Amino acid sequence: MLKKIFAWASILLFSAFSLYPILYVISVSLRSDNAFQTQSLEIISASSNFKNFSSLFFETDFLLWLRNSLLISAVTTFAGVVLASTSAYALSRYRFRGRNTMLFSLLVSQMFPATMLMLPFYIILSKLHLIDSFLGLFVIYSSTALPFCIWQMKAYYDTIPRELEEAALLDGCSKWMIFTKIILPVSSPALVITALFSFMNSWSEYVIAAVVLQDPALYTLPLGLRSFQASLATQWGLYAAGALIVSVPALILFISISRYLVSGLTMGSVKG
Amino acid sequence: MRASALLLILFSSLLAHAKPVHINVWHQMIYGHRQVLAEALKKFEKENPDITVQATYRETEELRSSYQSAAMGGAGPELVYGPSDQIGPFATMGIIRPLDTVLEKADFSALDPLATPEFMNQHYMVGDGVGNHLMLIYNKKLIQTPPKNTDELIEMGRRLTIDQNGDGKVDQWGLVFNYTEPFFFAPFISAFGDDFIKNDSVPNLNTPALRSTFQFILDMRDKYKIIPKECDYETANALFKGNKAAMLINGDWSWGDYKEAKVDFGIARIPMISSTGRWPSPLVGTKGYSLNVNMKSPEHLAAAIKLLKFLTSESTQLLFAEKVGILPSNLNARNSEIVKNNPLLKISSSVMEVGHPMPIAPEIRAIWDSLRTQYQKVLAGSATPELAAKSAQEVAEKQIHEMNEVLEPTGGALVLKILFAIILICVAWLSRKSFAAFVNGFQGPQKFAYYMMLPAFLGIFAVIVYPFFYNIAISFSNFSLRTFQDWSIVGFQHYAEALTDPRFYSLFLKTVIWTVVNVVFHVSIGVFLAIIINQVMPAKGFWRALLIIPWAVPQYITALTWRALFNQEYGPINIFLQQFMHLSPVQWLSQPFTAFAACVITNVWLGFPFMMIVALGGLQSIPHSLYEAAVLDGANAWQRFRHITWPLLLPVMVPAALLGSIWTFNNLNVIWLVSNSGEPGDQTHILVSYVYKAAFNLYRYGYAAAVSVLIFLILVVWGLSSLKAQYRKETQ
């Protein structure tokens, strides 16, 4: 009994801990700018209203940013899943020259401070005339999440018994068919995670986008939100309302696939 | 002949119409000003149908760093707009163009000299207004006549700092301003008798004037209690807009904001310092347009100059003066009725009379930076005014020296080049077979694997491998402020400097603490919650989804949200502590230790869900029969955890913790955003944020690259040894 009380108490405490900042953002998004500083802990007060949301949608380019972000994230998620699933399969099933070097460098690449890669990025992109185009972002976003995703996928593939493929090979399936018809369908938890990571990588990325995209018509959501945040006069209400809307798709995605996350993130390491 | 020439002209003008010249402008105008700019640009495009203009907003700091990288890549906007102090670095780097060759003398003499600052005897900017100076803004509802001197200021401040509802907390402040930022307290220094900068570029900080200024601010906060304990720009702004502050020190750019918020305000000089009888002297500067050195074509240059002239013309300036109240730099415009009849502008120019011009040399940045760090130490109580003034001078001198340093190639450069050649030859020789095998692999029996790998390989090479080696090259070079356009490999100096600097080791220690504390919390909270959810809770999916939330919210939103939560006066955390725990408020963000703790709390919030999910997966793979057997054997809960859960969970948690440590070690976002780039006084930095600051704030690219290579090496050595240890343990 005591154990149960303790368990409930701690889970409620942590739920509050994880929820409160979100509630706070909601609260700020419902206040007018002048009431940003308040000493009450109320989430919704008498003066709360949806003005920030309506001006977000009707007076700013929010919908344009949303469209750009959705486009970029969709493409990079797709590219990320394709790249990670194919290359991880090769790394899991084949022993070829350079395999170990590849696996090792994937891991090591995570260890370099990412911000320092900005300058060379920029120089490459401007040489290739990819500034102010989504193409450059597609390449960067889908590749930067790759090391983690490839490791993740490889660990998962390693747990799939080889007998499955051998049987199919006897039946005359091509290698590509084995991969697409047999391996991919049973790897859905790992694929979902790869998709999630690629999505998050582009959905909330700000620093690279700020350098690559200069035309406001191409802005993504993080860039758009930042423009409410002038150096000396942030429009907190608008910012909070925007931040909330940016978080919603990610939240829905996370919550709806949390089941896959559990098996996908650990499957490889348990057995491998 | 003539006909054909005419035809040619006609044809080319048709072509010009078909493809108008496209001009980019980067600016950092605040929201209200952007709308006026858009209006002006629309007019310009109408008058010049062969030119299209794209205006892009960038936050001041970001504008600076993106413009630098853009110009280095040989690109960037044709026009860049910003405060005059960006001329110094840009001109030194050689990324903006002297205007004397493209504009007439008359173009300059039509303007206030303040708007055409000279740097190294050249003009690099044309300002569209002057001002950008601080003044006292007061709420007319609360004050009839503004204070003339500091005695009156303090007396009024005390009278107007009121706890209205008797809960022991102040509801209305006498005075608010962003006093933690040195720009806002700089006006006082000269009023106490001395300038903080000599000859436009030499720091003059170890002075009685600076010490008295430090003390003056401390007194206002602690002795007279007329300013809030923690007050950044946002707080000050919101308090004044909400009629919760009687007086505010702010610049002319903010008027529009207060008008829109319907505050009935007046402006005045910042009150005279009673003890010295001198007026505080705000820095008066300009914001203006500069031309990029890189132009795509002569047509672009011509169009950019046309636009520059238009944007600084009398009519555009009048538009800005009328709509947002900027004092025009054009002398004709200043004599117009719009300006003359504007009472605010009239007082504003009287405030400017006691001001002095904004220094523009690149050195000013190092002076601000050292002033900021030392000043924040004074405010946090960790340095006395005497000590802080002394260190401010020392730090400023050191940073100026580092910034301006141009390393000459040493013997190390030759060694490096030879070493590099040898390595290249060796690698080529050793890998010739591998390379051939690699190429042949595309036809060999393994070709399926090769084609499966290829796209990812190319992506990773372009995005990670190539930039990585580029960075190593920079780390051996003298790439910095003064060698921006032509840097060269100089040797190991940056490595030697970093490794002999005690600060490197203390930062390393702090980074280790940061990593260990975070990962320990992440893993223990994660495992703890996973066990509870897995064993006790009904509706496991619900709790799992609820606790995953922090992971799903983008990091930059999280970090800024937590910064607001930690605010001393208005952050819910302190309000909660006071109302429900009856504790005194914690100065979260203005004390080094608590600011660091605030970063840790934020990062713990961000990181525990990942570990929880991994642990949940691990727990679910443990067969239930093991526990049943243990219960039969009479094992208690702790023994079951110790002998079943823990050992079986370990193989899952170790790789996750390893990855988590690497991510935490290199996590720039949280530290940078929560502590507002290292506040207070640069004492919350970890290695990555220190690198970031060195590179992008102090232009020391070579040094920053070297330190980041060191970070990388540390992680590689540590990562490999712990992987090895893990491997050994598993194979035993």
Side-chain angles (χ1 to χ4, degrees):
Chain A
M1 188 59 205
L2 201 67
K3 199 172 122 192
K4 276 218 159 139
I5 293 173
F6 174 70
W8 275 96
S10 32
I11 210 114
L12 288 175
L13 190 75
F14 275 102
S15 303
F17 179 58
S18 70
L19 270 182
Y20 187 79
I22 308 296
L23 293 177
Y24 181 75
V25 179
I26 296 179
S27 165
V28 173
S29 73
L30 296 174
R31 288 180 211 158
S32 64
D33 250 7
N34 303 351
F36 170 55
Q37 307 294 10
T38 163
Q39 288 185 330
S40 101
L41 286 173
E42 285 174 330
I43 300 293
I44 296 169
S45 70
S47 64
S48 293
N49 58 56
F50 289 102
K51 208 179 137 278
N52 287 318
F53 287 92
S54 68
S55 39
L56 187 68
F57 280 108
F58 301 118
E59 289 163 29
T60 72
D61 285 334
F62 190 79
L63 292 174
L64 177 74
W65 304 331
L66 185 68
R67 196 206 65 176
N68 291 343
S69 268
L70 284 175
L71 175 70
I72 292 177
S73 301
V75 174
T76 49
T77 306
F78 178 74
V81 169
V82 170
L83 292 181
S85 61
T86 51
S87 53
Y89 183 68
L91 287 167
S92 164
R93 287 298 189 267
Y94 292 85
R95 298 289 174 270
F96 52 90
R97 213 178 250 275
R99 173 180 178 272
N100 286 331
T101 325
M102 189 72 194
L103 276 173
F104 176 71
S105 29
L106 286 178
L107 193 67
V108 166
S109 71
Q110 295 290 292
M111 299 179 180
F112 197 78
T115 39
M116 288 307 295
L117 301 177
M118 277 307 305
L119 219 62
F121 268 162
Y122 193 88
I123 294 170
I124 301 173
L125 288 176
S126 69
K127 296 242 158 88
L128 296 175
H129 298 286
L130 288 178
I131 297 298
D132 252 350
S133 89
F134 287 161
L135 191 62
L137 277 190
F138 292 154
V139 174
I140 293 182
Y141 286 165
S142 43
S143 309
T144 43
L146 270 186
F148 177 80
C149 294
I150 292 179
W151 264 93
Q152 189 57 44
M153 289 297 303
K154 185 209 161 258
Y156 199 90
Y157 288 144
D158 285 347
T159 66
I160 302 174
R162 275 162 189 266
E163 288 78 15
L164 271 180
E165 290 157 80
E166 280 155 15
L169 207 58
L170 287 180
D171 291 343
C173 277
S174 72
K175 284 170 180 167
W176 179 249
M177 271 173 70
I178 293 175
F179 174 65
T180 52
K181 295 270 150 67
I182 297 177
I183 298 298
L184 283 187
V186 297
S187 313
S188 48
L191 286 173
V192 165
I193 290 182
T194 302
L196 178 78
F197 271 83
S198 304
F199 176 83
M200 286 302 282
N201 199 41
S202 51
W203 183 250
S204 61
E205 203 288 327
Y206 168 74
V207 182
I208 297 170
V211 176
V212 176
L213 301 177
Q214 292 161 8
D215 180 353
L218 301 178
Y219 271 15
T220 59
L221 278 174
L223 281 182
L225 280 192
R226 257 310 269 264
S227 65
F228 296 142
Q229 232 188 315
S231 32
L232 288 175
T234 300
Q235 298 184 302
W236 282 109
L238 277 184
Y239 181 80
L244 216 57
I245 296 178
V246 174
S247 310
V248 166
L251 268 175
I252 293 175
L253 212 60
F254 262 91
I255 288 173
S256 56
I257 63 173
S258 64
R259 195 160 49 87
Y260 287 97
L261 274 177
V262 173
S263 55
L265 270 178
T266 23
M267 195 59 95
S269 30
V270 174
K271 297 187 189 160
Chain B
M1 189 64 208
R2 188 176 284 172
S4 68
L6 202 71
L7 211 68
L8 199 72
I9 292 170
L10 200 73
F11 185 67
S12 60
S13 70
L14 270 176
L15 261 188
H17 275 285
K19 200 166 185 289
V21 180
H22 187 72
I23 300 293
N24 279 295
V25 184
W26 286 6
H27 64 86
Q28 41 83 270
M29 290 185 192
I30 61 172
Y31 206 70
H33 295 199
R34 275 178 241 169
Q35 281 150 351
V36 186
L37 179 70
E39 196 179 314
L41 289 178
K42 222 176 254 167
K43 197 175 141 209
F44 178 79
E45 284 182 327
K46 213 171 180 186
E47 287 170 11
N48 299 280
D50 52 337
I51 304 176
T52 56
V53 186
Q54 176 80 68
T56 304
Y57 164 78
R58 287 280 148 87
E59 190 271 328
T60 312
E61 268 317 301
E62 218 177 83
L63 182 127
R64 207 185 297 257
S65 56
S66 344
Y67 182 73
Q68 277 162 219
S69 19
M72 195 171 49
E78 282 76 14
L79 283 179
V80 55
Y81 176 87
S84 52
D85 59 347
Q86 76 190 15
I87 302 176
F90 285 175
T92 310
M93 291 175 189
I95 56 177
I96 50 176
R97 176 189 293 261
L99 299 173
D100 305 76
T101 49
V102 295
L103 295 180
E104 305 295 325
K105 275 231 160 63
D107 291 327
F108 296 115
S109 58
L111 306 178
D112 185 323
L114 270 172
T116 54
E118 282 192 37
F119 181 68
M120 317 281 280
N121 299 320
Q122 300 255 40
H123 291 93
Y124 285 94
M125 173 181 275
V126 181
D128 65 346
V130 288
N132 217 19
H133 53 301
L134 295 172
M135 61 198 78
L136 188 78
I137 303 179
Y138 59 96
N139 188 326
K140 283 188 175 165
K141 248 191 246 164
L142 302 168
I143 292 180
Q144 312 303 327
T145 42
K148 298 243 167 353
N149 56 39
T150 47
D151 289 346
E152 283 180 41
L153 174 80
I154 287 162
E155 186 271 324
M156 267 185 189
R158 283 178 140 170
R159 194 155 42 79
L160 291 161
T161 303
I162 318 170
D163 171 12
Q164 281 155 337
N165 53 10
D167 62 353
K169 296 183 66 177
V170 175
D171 304 298
Q172 177 190 300
W173 289 98
L175 174 68
V176 293
F177 67 110
N178 182 16
Y179 65 85
T180 48
E181 187 54 44
F183 178 77
F184 285 80
F185 104 131
F188 293 107
I189 306 175
S190 50
F192 277 104
D194 212 341
D195 256 337
F196 67 100
I197 185 165
K198 282 185 301 192
N199 302 331
D200 291 338
S201 66
V202 182
N204 181 34
L205 300 171
N206 192 11
T207 59
L210 185 63
R211 293 192 279 271
S212 316
T213 313
F214 283 150
Q215 193 59 48
F216 175 68
I217 304 276
L218 279 182
D219 285 348
M220 283 208 290
R221 189 187 70 178
D222 301 335
K223 195 161 145 198
Y224 309 116
K225 299 191 166 71
I226 60 171
I227 52 177
K229 287 261 182 205
E230 228 170 52
C231 191
D232 55 11
Y233 189 90
E234 314 292 353
T235 313
N237 214 22
L239 286 172
F240 189 75
K241 283 203 274 188
N243 291 313
K244 289 178 194 160
M247 293 174 276
L248 165 87
I249 296 175
N250 209 343
D252 52 358
W253 61 82
S254 62
W255 297 343
D257 214 12
Y258 303 142
K259 269 185 200 156
E260 205 173 302
K262 303 202 170 59
V263 181
D264 185 14
F265 69 95
I267 61 172
R269 284 185 185 171
I270 302 172
M272 192 172 75
I273 301 293
S274 305
S275 58
T276 62
R278 295 171 70 142
W279 291 99
S281 165
L283 295 166
V284 183
T286 186
K287 283 188 185 174
Y289 296 92
S290 302
L291 281 179
N292 194 336
V293 282
N294 303 306
M295 290 282 169
K296 291 177 202 93
S297 68
E299 289 79 50
H300 280 88
L301 179 61
I305 293 170
K306 204 177 213 179
L307 179 60
L308 173 86
K309 285 187 174 167
F310 173 81
L311 287 171
T312 51
S313 67
E314 190 180 332
S315 63
T316 312
Q317 292 202 2
L318 282 174
L319 191 67
F320 272 95
E322 190 177 20
K323 293 272 164 73
V324 285
I326 290 181
L327 187 67
S329 66
N330 183 295
L331 298 171
N332 287 336
R334 212 178 283 175
N335 287 324
S336 72
E337 296 303 306
I338 297 175
V339 177
K340 277 189 175 160
N341 296 340
N342 186 327
L344 281 182
L345 289 179
K346 213 192 253 168
I347 305 172
S348 176
S349 28
S350 91
V351 176
M352 282 186 350
E353 280 165 27
V354 292
H356 58 261
M358 181 85 175
I360 54 179
E363 284 82 5
I364 183 73
R365 200 174 171 84
I367 298 177
W368 284 135
D369 190 70
S370 69
L371 198 52
R372 181 181 298 115
T373 50
Q374 299 310 314
Y375 175 45
Q376 284 172 357
K377 283 186 189 169
V378 173
L379 292 174
S382 56
T384 59
E386 288 73 29
L387 187 68
K390 191 166 159 274
S391 342
Q393 179 69 18
E394 286 165 9
V395 175
E397 281 170 8
K398 181 167 167 273
Q399 286 187 343
I400 288 173
H401 174 73
E402 288 169 348
M403 223 169 80
N404 284 330
E405 187 176 43
V406 177
L407 292 175
E408 292 302 324
T410 58
L414 192 67
V415 173
L416 261 174
K417 281 175 189 163
I418 294 170
L419 211 64
F420 183 70
I422 293 174
I423 290 174
L424 208 65
I425 292 168
C426 286
V427 168
W429 180 254
L430 289 175
S431 64
R432 68 190 194 287
K433 276 192 189 147
S434 314
F435 186 72
F438 179 75
V439 174
N440 289 334
F442 284 99
Q443 277 110 41
Q446 303 272 47
K447 69 177 181 202
F448 184 68
Y450 277 80
Y451 282 108
M452 295 284 267
M453 282 295 306
L454 190 66
F457 179 80
L458 291 178
I460 289 173
F461 189 86
V463 170
I464 300 170
V465 180
Y466 175 78
F468 171 72
F469 283 105
Y470 199 95
N471 235 287
I472 293 186
I474 293 179
S475 75
F476 289 111
S477 77
N478 58 0
F479 189 17
S480 69
L481 177 70
R482 300 207 174 259
T483 52
F484 200 77
Q485 301 282 26
D486 51 343
W487 50 272
S488 54
I489 301 292
V490 291
F492 299 90
Q493 291 93 324
H494 291 308
Y495 288 94
E497 189 191 340
L499 290 173
T500 51
D501 184 1
R503 191 165 158 79
F504 177 79
Y505 297 97
S506 67
L507 278 167
F508 173 57
L509 186 70
K510 194 137 112 220
T511 314
V512 171
I513 295 172
W514 156 259
T515 309
V516 170
V517 171
N518 270 306
V519 174
V520 165
F521 274 115
H522 289 161
V523 173
S524 54
I525 295 177
V527 171
F528 174 73
L529 290 174
I531 290 176
I532 290 183
I533 292 179
N534 199 40
Q535 293 185 351
V536 184
M537 301 314 285
K540 294 184 184 12
F542 170 76
W543 297 107
R544 192 177 57 205
L546 194 68
L547 290 166
I548 232 174
I549 286 175
W551 189 10
V553 182
Q555 272 199 9
Y556 65 102
I557 292 175
T558 311
L560 289 173
T561 306
W562 277 93
R563 190 170 160 74
L565 294 180
F566 281 118
N567 184 289
Q568 188 181 352
E569 300 269 345
Y570 303 99
I573 296 179
N574 269 355
I575 298 175
F576 178 82
L577 288 180
Q578 285 170 287
Q579 284 186 356
F580 296 99
M581 321 287 276
H582 300 287
L583 296 169
S584 51
V586 180
Q587 298 185 21
W588 286 106
L589 299 172
S590 52
Q591 294 289 337
F593 180 78
T594 45
F596 194 65
C599 294
V600 172
I601 293 174
T602 307
N603 202 44
V604 166
W605 186 80
L606 273 170
F608 80 84
F610 175 76
M611 295 296 174
M612 182 186 83
I613 293 296
V614 174
L616 264 177
L619 288 176
Q620 285 173 3
S621 67
I622 300 176
H624 214 71
S625 54
L626 284 178
Y627 290 105
E628 283 159 10
V631 172
L632 283 180
D633 288 343
N636 63 26
W638 168 249
Q639 285 167 327
R640 289 197 302 269
F641 175 78
R642 178 71 193 81
H643 295 290
I644 303 174
T645 314
W646 184 244
L648 288 176
L649 206 52
L650 211 57
V652 188
M653 294 315 291
V654 166
L658 202 72
L659 200 61
S661 317
I662 296 173
W663 286 340
T664 312
F665 200 92
N666 277 338
N667 189 331
L668 174 74
N669 280 356
V670 171
I671 291 274
W672 196 261
L673 293 175
V674 173
S675 75
N676 196 17
S677 43
E679 283 177 13
D682 270 349
Q683 292 172 86
T684 43
H685 280 302
I686 58 172
L687 278 170
V688 274
S689 59
Y690 171 70
V691 165
Y692 190 78
K693 186 175 162 169
F696 293 100
N697 286 5
L698 297 169
Y699 317 108
R700 305 181 67 203
Y701 293 102
Y703 177 75
V707 177
S708 51
V709 171
L710 289 175
I711 294 177
F712 171 73
L713 291 178
I714 292 170
L715 281 175
V716 169
V717 170
W718 171 81
L720 288 188
S721 57
S722 50
L723 270 183
K724 217 174 195 175
Q726 179 62 20
Y727 181 73
R728 205 176 295 135
K729 221 188 263 167
E730 271 172 19
T731 48
Q732 264 169 13

